Structure formats: structure tokens, C-alpha cells
Amino acid sequence: MCKPTAKESNSKHQVYKNEQDKSLIPTLAVSLWLGWMGLLTYTIIFAVTLATPFQRKVIISILAISFILPPAFPGKLGNRIGSWIMKEAEKYFGLKVTIENEAAFHKLNEEGKSAIFAIEPHDFLPFGVFALNSGLGYLPGEIGETSKALMTSAIFKLPIIKHVYTWVGGLPVDKKTFRSRLANNQCVVFCPGGVQEVILIDPKNKDDLILFLQSRKGFIKLALETGTAIVPTFVFNQDNSFGYLIPRGKFMSNIARKIGFLPVFFWGRFY
């Protein structure tokens, strides 16, 4: 983890900075993390159109085995891979984290309480939720150690992808998981706006900031029930990380709400 400078650590705000590094190793780590969505899509297209019978059997077998295995497979090894991915991603994106009142987190730890980090905006992909990953060590004490990013349950039904996102500290954002973690004073990081913010993105006005929060009150009720603190968190410069084409229409919006994500065409640095 990057340590704050003397000037920054003496100020009210605690600031952690990392120099951006897009060299080979950080690039490989981020590709292993975020590249699977595109790679899985292209693999399926290849299997259906161009693959030989043997290649098709191999692809189907690998995907079937992954589908059957639990998301946390292979346990501790997966967690170590996830920690490595997060530390390299920290370099790749040149992550900067500003904590306005770290003393408040120490107080929560002393009182045996946890926190809900409500991160906005969602943007195309909400990978900003992983800035508070437990392996990066930005959050102190029990809050930092138990930090998990909650995201659409659909992710954990997809072969291979479900393993990678579990390794990096992801969990399904369903009521059962949410309630269970708060009941056990475990930290929750999620984006309240969800897929609705993706639906509302206007490619013609890419500088617009989309927040869909007025009707998102469920997590506030849970916080009140459990006495859990809510920490509003904002992510800068997450936009324009990907190029994308978003399908429009009421039908696609309904599909997105049903499956938990919006099917889109997107491309990044290499594809």
C-alpha cells in the first residue's frame, strides 16, 4: 500500500497516492481481472462458428467444469491471486484514495461497528468499488479487513468470471448477503445506483454524470435496523475507461432489470 506523505498525513484528510504503471505485469493482472468478459464472449463465438469439433469439446468441458465448481475455488490460492491482482491494478490505474475522517473509522472499530460504503457513480463498469479492497489496506482495523464489494448476482453465475470476482473480494448484492454481513458487523461496499445508471447513460453526452439514487432506500433502512454507518463515497475518472455501444429501448431495459446487468458491446485497450 502507498503511504501518505508527511504533509498529507498531518492534514485532516488522509491521502494515499500511487504512480500509474501500465507496464507488462500490471497490464496482465488487470487483463486477468477485467478482460474475461470480452474473452469469454469471443471464446463462445469462436466455439460456435470456427472451432473444430475437438476444440469445441475442450471449450465446453472447461466452461462446464468452471460452472460446477464453487466460486471460491481453489480457496486460499485464489485469494492470493486476487490480492496480487488488486495490488497490480492499484498501480495500473494510479489509484489515489482520500479518506476525509479516518478517526471516525477507528471509533467505529472500537465500538465494534462496521460501515456501508455507498460508491457512486456506477458508470459502464463499477470497478471503482474495488478501491476499498481489503488487500490494499486503505481502511483501518476490522472495517478494512472485512471489506467486500457487492455486485450483481449474475456475475457469480458465469463460468471463470465468478471465480475471478470472488478472488478479488466480490460477493452477490442480494438481501441475504447484505443482511448477513451487516448482522456480523462486516463491511459492505456497493453502488446503489446499479444497472439503472448504465441504462441512463447517453453516449452523446459523455460528460454527464448519471446518478440514480432517489428510489434506492433499501440499504438505508438496513443501516438503520443494524446501526451501521453509511459512508458516501465518490469515484473520479472512472468514465471513458472503455468504449461501448449500449443497446436502447424498453425491451433491453426490462432485460437488464431481470438479469441484473445490461448486455452491451464494449472494447478496451486491446480489444
Side-chain angles (χ1 to χ4, degrees), residues 210-221:
I210 305 298
L211 302 178
F212 188 80
L213 299 174
Q214 191 170 1
S215 61
R216 305 299 199 193
K217 301 173 183 177
F219 74 99
I220 298 175
K221 294 178 181 178

Side-chain angles (χ1 to χ4, degrees), residues 20-261:
Q20 190 169 36
D21 179 2
K22 291 187 177 181
S23 59
L24 178 61
I25 299 302
T27 299
L28 287 175
V30 171
S31 298
L32 178 60
W33 171 29
L34 298 176
W36 275 108
M37 292 187 182
L39 183 58
L40 186 60
T41 301
Y42 297 144
T43 300
I44 293 173
I45 293 173
F46 172 75
V48 172
T49 59
L50 300 175
T52 64
F54 175 74
Q55 291 172 329
R56 191 174 294 115
K57 288 179 182 179
V58 171
I59 293 171
I60 293 174
S61 298
I62 292 173
L63 296 181
I65 291 171
S66 174
F67 187 81
I68 294 170
L69 289 171
F73 179 85
K76 292 183 179 180
L77 175 60
N79 292 335
R80 287 197 289 270
I81 294 173
S83 295
W84 171 76
I85 289 174
M86 288 292 95
K87 289 175 182 176
E88 294 301 323
E90 179 184 49
K91 301 174 188 175
Y92 183 88
F93 290 107
L95 184 62
K96 176 181 177 181
V97 176
T98 301
I99 299 177
E100 292 190 352
N101 189 357
E102 192 171 89
F105 296 139
H106 289 294
K107 185 178 179 181
L108 287 173
N109 284 323
E110 291 170 2
E111 295 174 350
K113 297 180 180 180
S114 193
I116 298 172
F117 288 83
I119 288 189
E120 286 290 338
H122 184 288
D123 206 74
F124 174 67
L125 284 178
F127 55 86
V129 296
F130 291 94
L132 301 179
N133 180 275
S134 59
L136 300 181
Y138 292 118
L139 301 175
E142 192 74 12
I143 289 178
E145 292 169 6
T146 63
S147 175
K148 292 286 186 180
L150 305 191
M151 63 202 70
T152 174
S153 302
I155 287 289
F156 301 95
K157 297 175 182 177
L158 299 174
I160 301 178
I161 293 176
K162 68 178 185 179
H163 302 303
V164 176
Y165 276 82
T166 301
W167 298 344
V168 297
L171 289 173
V173 64
D174 53 55
K175 287 185 178 180
K176 181 180 178 181
T177 302
F178 218 112
R179 286 183 179 275
S180 174
R181 292 194 62 78
L182 296 186
N184 290 286
N185 290 322
Q186 295 174 321
C187 179
V188 168
V189 183
F190 86 118
C191 178
V195 68
Q196 187 63 38
E197 292 185 0
V198 183
I199 295 172
L200 294 173
I201 290 176
D202 184 358
K204 296 179 181 179
N205 297 291
K206 292 187 176 182
D207 292 334
D208 287 355
L209 178 62
I210 305 298
L211 302 178
F212 188 80
L213 299 174
Q214 191 170 1
S215 61
R216 305 299 199 193
K217 301 173 183 177
F219 74 99
I220 298 175
K221 294 178 181 178
L222 288 176
L224 291 172
E225 289 175 9
T226 58
T228 305
I230 296 177
V231 184
T233 309
F234 198 88
V235 179
F236 294 91
N237 299 322
Q238 188 175 237
D239 55 333
N240 297 322
S241 297
F242 290 88
Y244 52 81
L245 177 62
I246 301 176
R248 299 294 175 182
K250 186 176 181 180
F251 175 75
M252 292 307 302
S253 296
N254 290 335
I255 289 292
R257 293 190 185 96
K258 289 288 185 182
I259 65 177
F261 66 94

